[in-house]
Amino acid sequence: MARRGGAAASSSMANLLGVALVLAATAQTSARGGGGGGRHDYRMALSKSILYFEAQRSGVLPGNQRIAWRANSGLADGKANGVDLVGGYYDAGDNVKFGFPMAFTVTMMAWSVLEYGKQMAAAGELGHAMDAVRWGADYFVKAHPAPNVLYGEVGDGDSDHVCWQRPEDMTTSRQAYRLDPQHPGSDLAGETAAALAAASLVFRSSNPGYANQLLQHSKQLFDFADKYRGKYDDSMPVAKKFYGSFSGYGDELLWASAWLYQATDNRRYLDYLANNGDALGGTGWATNEFGWDVKYPGVQVLAAKFLLQGKAGPHAAVLRRYQRNADVFACSCLGKGGGGGNVGRTPGGLMYHQGWNNLQFVTGASFLLAVYADHLAAAGRGQAVVRCQAGPAARASELVALAKSQVDYILGSNPRGISYMVGYGARYPRRAHHRGASIVSIRANPSFVSCKDGYASWFGRAGSNPNLLDGAVVGGPDGRDGFADERNNYQQTEVATYNNAPLMGVLARLAGGGRGGLAEAAIKRPDNQTLLPPLAAAASPVEITQLNATASWKKDGRTYRRYAAKVSNRSPAGGKTVEELHIGIGKPHGPVWGLEKAARYGYVLPSSLAAGESAAFAYVVRGRAAPPPADVWVIGYKLV
C-alpha cells in the first residue's frame, strides 16, 4: 500500500533529526522521571501515545501501519455525496468520523510537535508524530472541496451506538453532513482552520508545498467561519447530543485567528484577535476547562506567548488582558484561583471535572500548563510567574510540577496503582470500550460480525479485549479515585483521540526535558523581546455583590438559607453591554432565581446587561447551623 506522508517526511527531516544527536545523551538519562508511586518511562509512554492513533485510522491503511490488527475501512465514505471522504480518524470507541473533535485532535497533535518536536526527534518519534498529524490534515483537505463548503461528519451516532461492529465490517449509515453558507458552522470551520494552520507549521521546513496547501485551506475556512456565522450543531443536529458546541463559536474564531497569526505573521490575524477579544469572549472568559468544546484557555496561552515573544505590536494592552485569563486558568488548576473556580481534586491528587472521560481535561490542562510555563521561563526577566487571586504568585516550575504530577497519576502513580494508558505498566485497563479492540481482528478471523452478533458475542464477554489498544488513554477514575475496568462502563473505559493528542506533547517534554520546538526556521521568533510591566489584577467590568440572607428555615435537622446577590456591569455610561454572562455558584441546595441553568457552564443571566445596569438573583444553601453564603463567581462573558 502507498505510504501516506511518512516517506517524504522521513527523507526530508535530516535538519530536524540532527537535533536528536545533541539531545540524545540528555534524553537517555531524563526519559525516566520520578513520580508519586514510582519512576516512569516517559519515552515509552510517548511512543505508545502516538502509536494509538494508528488504531483510530479510517480509510486505506499505509504500508507502514504498525497496529496490525486493523485493516482498511470506510472506503466508500463520501461517495453518495459525490466527494472523496476516505480517511481521517474515528473519534473514540465508535466508528463515526466526528469533525469537531477530530479537528481539535489534529490542532493539539500539531501544537505538541511544534512545542516539543526536538524532544520527539531525540526519542525517535518525530516521524511518527508528523505522520499522525498528516493523516488528519489530508482528510480535512478532502473535506473542504470548495471555499465555503466543509464536510463535518461521516456516519451518525444514533445508528452507530446501537451497533457493535469492527470498522472493517460497518453496516451502519455513512451519510456525510456538510456546512455551507445556508448551513453555517463557525465553530467547526474555525477549529478546522486552526488545525490546518498548525499543521502547516509542522511541515513548513520539510514539505513547504504541502504546508502552503494546508495554509490556503486554513485561510479559506477562517473566512467562511467568520462571514457565515452560526453554530455547527444547529446546522448539523445529528452531532448535537454527541459533540454539542456548548461554548458557542467565539472561542474557535479567536483560536483560528491566533493560529493563523502564528503560521503567517500577517497582522490581519493579530488585529482580529485583539479587536474581537471583547465581543467573542477571549478577554471575558476565564475558565478552568480546556478541551474540544471550549478553547478559551488555549487562545489565552497563545496570546500570552505572542506577548512574551514581543509579537504584540500595538495590541500589547489587549494581549495582557488575554494573559490575565491564562493566569486565572493556571491558578485555578493549582488551587489558587479564588472565587470558587478552582479545579477539584480526587483524594489521590488528580484534577477532576466530571465523571465522564475526565482525563480529557487533565491531559489538555497539563499540556497548557507545560507550554505556558516554558514560555514564561523563556521570557525571563521577571516574567516567569503567574499572579493568583488566592495565594502567592506561582513560579513557572510549579506549573511544570503540576503537569508532571498529573501525567504520573495517569501512568500509575495513583491510589489504585493502575496505569490509565492501555499497554503501559504492569496493570492497565484490559476491557476498553472500543469496538475494534474488543472484537477478534478481521485479519485473524475474517468472518463477518453483524451489529447483533457484536453485542451478543463480544461486547458482554468477561475476558480481556483480544486486540491491544496500545497507548490509548481511557476516561479514567471517578472523583474518589475509583475505577471499574468493564467494557460497558463507557464513562471510564472509553478512549478518545483528544485524550492522547495533548498528552503526547507533555510526554515529549518530560522525556527530553526543557523547552523544544520543531525547528527555528519553521516559526519566526523575533529577538526584540520587550520587558513587560507586572500584570495588575484583572479589572473586570462585571462585579458580583453578595447581599444578606432573605429567608431561613429548618428541614430534616438542617438549616436552609436563601441568599440574594446582584451582578452589575460597571462599564462607564455609554460603554459596552455584557452578553452571555455565565455565573458559577458553589453547591446550591435548592432553586436558583434570576438565572437559568446553562448547558455546561454554571448559570447564565437570561438577558444582556447594559453599562451601569444590575440584575438580582438568589440561591439556597444548607448546613447544620447557619450556613454562610456560597462561593459565587463570574465564569465568562462577552462585551459588545
Side-chain angles (χ1 to χ4, degrees), residues 416 418-423 426-434 459-465 474-478 481-495:
R416 298 182 65 85
I418 183 174
S419 164
Y420 292 105
M421 174 183 283
V422 176
R427 297 182 63 223
Y428 54 81
R430 307 282 173 163
R431 302 175 184 86
H433 181 96
H434 187 277
F459 178 75
R461 64 189 290 270
S464 300
N465 288 343
V474 299
D478 61 24
D481 299 303
F483 180 78
D485 184 16
E486 300 295 341
R487 205 169 291 114
N488 62 1
N489 181 20
Y490 55 85
Q491 291 190 336
Q492 293 188 326
T493 63
E494 188 167 17
V495 302

Side-chain angles (χ1 to χ4, degrees), residues 261-339:
Y261 178 55
Q262 175 140 312
T264 66
D265 279 327
N266 187 326
R267 273 280 303 280
R268 171 200 171 193
Y269 299 109
L270 178 63
D271 291 344
Y272 187 99
L273 181 67
N275 296 337
N276 291 280
D278 285 346
L280 297 179
T283 55
W285 270 80
T287 179
N288 61 26
E289 179 182 311
F290 174 64
W292 57 260
D293 179 29
V294 58
K295 318 294 166 43
Y296 285 118
V299 176
Q300 290 150 4
V301 168
L302 282 176
K305 176 182 173 181
F306 300 152
L307 185 67
L308 293 165
Q309 291 179 335
K311 296 180 65 174
H315 300 301
V318 177
L319 295 195
R320 288 191 191 103
R321 293 171 61 200
Y322 274 101
Q323 187 180 5
R324 290 187 187 107
N325 287 337
D327 281 3
V328 170
F329 174 81
C331 294
S332 297
C333 292
L334 289 165
K336 299 181 179 181

Side-chain angles (χ1 to χ4, degrees), residues 228-246:
Y228 301 100
R229 293 193 177 186
K231 288 176 56 181
Y232 96 101
D233 57 354
D234 288 335
S235 296
M236 291 168 40
V238 67
K240 190 178 290 285
K241 68 181 180 181
F242 299 99
Y243 289 102
S245 182
F246 296 102

Side-chain angles (χ1 to χ4, degrees), residues 599-617:
R600 285 185 66 183
Y601 307 108
Y603 297 83
V604 63
L605 192 68
S607 60
S608 59
L609 206 60
E613 288 187 347
S614 298
F617 61 95

Side-chain angles (χ1 to χ4, degrees), residues 72 181 267 445:
N72 299 339
R267 273 280 303 280
N445 185 351

Side-chain angles (χ1 to χ4, degrees), residues 214-225:
L214 299 184
L215 196 55
Q216 181 66 17
H217 282 277
S218 176
K219 291 176 180 178
Q220 290 181 355
L221 281 165
F222 175 72
D223 291 341
F224 170 48

